[in-house]
Amino acid sequence: MFTYHCLNPISAKGLDLFDSNYNKTDDIQEADAILVRSAKMHELELPENLKAVARAGAGVNNIPLDKCADAGVVVFNTPGANANAVKELVISGMLLASRDIIGGNTWCKENKDDPEIGKTMEKAKKNFAGTELAGKTLGIIGLGAIGVQVANAAVHLGMEVYGCDPFISVNAAWNLSRSVHHSSSYDEIFEKCDFITVHVPLLDSTRNLINQEAIDKMKDGVVILNYARDLLVDEEAVIAGIKAGKIRKYVSDFPNPTTAGQENVILTPHLGASTEEAEDNCAVMAVEEIRDFLENGNIKHSVNYPDCDNGICTAAGRIGILHHNSKGVIAQFATILGDSDINIADMTNKSRGDYAYALVDLDTPISPCAIEKLNAIEEVIRVHVVK
Ligand SMILES: NC(=O)c1ccc[n+]([C@@H]2O[C@H](COP(=O)([O-])OP(=O)(O)OC[C@H]3O[C@@H](n4cnc5c(N)ncnc54)[C@H](O)[C@@H]3O)[C@@H](O)[C@H]2O)c1
């Protein structure tokens, strides 16, 4: 029997996946697992029983990752669960940049009292005409969960798509349409594309990725889209590019004093993941991660421990050992289990920085005495007995 606590409202689509082995508790101190969205956990005293925290979303700066790791608490997030929501907003951003839908809608509102609006619109509409997406070139920098979906959708819209991601994952490469051109440098994208969209994380290496030098290489009339993070783009340079007539539109999900209210800038207030479906997807993924960890010891999409997946537990016993990543520690596990007459059927050990995780299948269930001895090893943070 496990107990979970929600620090924020979590979609019922996810919580319904907890079966009768799970109880929801209002008392956080009883919780084996916590589900959280944006609640700040830095000042929180971690419950003694707590084994897992799942953030229904991507960003984890509200969670003290090292404090959790030191307490043997695995923290998960839900990467990619909101990718479809962001993809749809990117497509809408390209459409809004191509035709003046916003201007046309404003005109209709302003002329609502004109009984002749059905006629006057025929004269007015030329002010809002635009271009189509089909046949245009789209450059995508970053082909992860979101970039791949944007690329595939754009191919279906008849666009010529160029993608650049030096670190593309095998999974993303499998999912990418064969019609997407592989660009080995940003320059090809800057030089060839009518639309350029960034879908990379904000790192020191990606900060100001779209800068003056990049803009100088771009085609006249380029549209730049930023649904990733504002600091990826030198927005002062972009505004100057718009004023100089070089950039047709800048579309961003991150309004700030530099961009808000500027001509030919289309802004949304960080709406990328704001859909009911994205919230449901995040909750479903968070609950699945917690269940797989508590019931099978598997770690998928952790942000403070290494991922480690041995599938469903079919052995007579299974333990997960959360430990500090140091030399000789695995040998100590084997010795203690061997001395306790317990045979190791299968074992995986993965590390991530200072922390590591050993998932061990056993031919017989582990004894309390062996658990005590494992816990007594200095480098061991916690022994999670799965079965
Ligand atoms: N607007 C929103 O509400 C919203 C919602 C979700 C995510 N995001 C942001 O979107 C971005 C992408 O998210 P994701 O879920 O697709 O992430 P992801 O981790 O799945 O993909 C990121 C991709 O960027 C690639 N990459 C890293 N450095 C690169 C570089 N220097 N050049 C080219 N590619 C590089 C990685 O290899 C990876 O494939 C992130 O910045 C994220 O914060 C925004």
Side-chain angles (χ1 to χ4, degrees), residues 86 143-146 165-167 186 199-201 206 227 229 253 270 272-273:
V86 181
L143 292 164
I146 296 168
D165 187 335
F167 318 105
Y186 300 150
H199 298 288
V200 296
T206 57
Y227 285 90
R229 286 289 172 259
D253 206 17
H270 201 182

Side-chain angles (χ1 to χ4, degrees), residues 171-206:
N171 198 34
W174 272 111
N175 287 320
L176 190 65
S177 162
R178 279 193 300 146
S179 303
V180 175
H181 302 280
H182 169 216
S183 295
S184 51
S185 76
Y186 300 150
D187 280 359
E188 184 180 33
I189 284 180
F190 296 152
E191 286 158 16
K192 281 195 175 153
C193 291
D194 304 307
F195 294 79
I196 295 173
T197 184
V198 283
H199 298 288
V200 296
L202 178 63
L203 308 166
D204 284 343
S205 57
T206 57

Side-chain angles (χ1 to χ4, degrees), residues 2 18 22 52 76 284-301 308-313 318 357 359 384 386:
F2 299 107
F18 282 127
Y22 289 81
F76 300 89
V284 166
M285 203 164 160
V287 171
E288 286 173 348
E289 289 163 355
I290 285 178
R291 285 199 59 173
D292 201 19
F293 178 62
L294 294 179
E295 295 170 33
N296 297 308
N298 295 324
I299 300 183
K300 262 184 248 166
H301 302 136
C308 182
D309 184 356
N310 278 7
I312 290 173
C313 176
R318 179 180 280 186
Y357 184 64
L359 193 54
H384 170 42
V386 177

Side-chain angles (χ1 to χ4, degrees), residues 78-85 145 277-279 281-283 285:
T78 59
N82 49 26
N84 189 67
E277 292 86 345
E279 280 184 20
N281 291 343
C282 289
M285 203 164 160

